[in-house]
């Protein structure tokens, strides 16, 4: 399966899939990476919107410290539309894997 077919499959099954809004973008969030060691980006997601466009979201924030221990991470989520031509290969693979492994 290629990326176009994977997106089409997700798009055709939009109503069956769980989707949510992150920073104003409603999408099926197909993959998440955890970059918790970074103060600039704590988590990031790739999603497919109902119209087939891609969206990337990330949560940024630094831990709140209480003496020597991190007590909480204040996160701010931001999301942006992605250009298909500039989608990293690892994200394309994640979208394809999602489309292939979910019963759509």
């Amino acid at each position: 399966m290629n990326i176009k077919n994977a997106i089409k499959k997700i798009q055709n099954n939009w109503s069956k899939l769980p989707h949510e809004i992150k920073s104003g973008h409603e999408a099926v969030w197909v993959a998440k990476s955890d970059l918790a060691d970074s103060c600039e980006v704590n988590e990031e997601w790739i999603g497919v919107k109902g119209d087939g466009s891609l969206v990337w979201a990330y949560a940024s924030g630094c831990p709140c410290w209480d003496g020597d221990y991190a007590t909480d991470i204040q996160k701010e989520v931001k999301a942006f539309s992605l250009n298909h031509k500039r989608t990293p290969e690892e994200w394309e693979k994640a979208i394809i894997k999602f489309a292939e492994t979910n019963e759509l």
Side-chain angles (χ1 to χ4, degrees):
M1 178 177 293
N2 64 32
I3 186 67
K4 284 185 177 184
N5 291 339
I7 291 170
K8 191 64 143 174
K9 189 173 182 182
I10 293 167
Q11 192 178 3
N12 288 342
N13 291 280
W14 178 260
S15 63
K16 299 177 197 173
L17 295 168
H19 45 277
E20 63 178 280
I21 297 174
K22 291 186 188 299
S23 189
H25 293 272
E26 185 175 12
V28 173
W29 299 97
V30 300
K32 174 186 168 187
S33 68
D34 185 5
L35 305 172
D37 291 339
S38 169
C39 238
E40 294 176 15
V41 176
N42 297 102
E43 297 172 343
E44 62 181 345
W45 303 269
I46 185 73
V48 179
K49 295 173 83 172
D51 64 2
S53 62
L54 301 181
V55 63
W56 172 70
Y58 70 93
S60 63
C62 290
C64 297
W65 294 91
D66 179 17
D68 295 329
Y69 301 99
T71 58
D72 191 16
I73 295 180
Q74 301 295 321
K75 293 182 183 177
E76 178 184 358
V77 176
K78 296 182 180 179
F80 303 94
S81 293
L82 265 180
N83 182 329
H84 284 268
K85 295 176 185 174
R86 293 187 178 174
T87 306
E89 186 177 340
E90 66 187 66
W91 287 122
E92 287 188 0
K93 287 179 181 178
I95 293 167
I96 292 167
K97 182 179 178 182
F98 179 88
E100 288 177 339
T101 58
N102 283 280
E103 295 182 24
L104 305 178

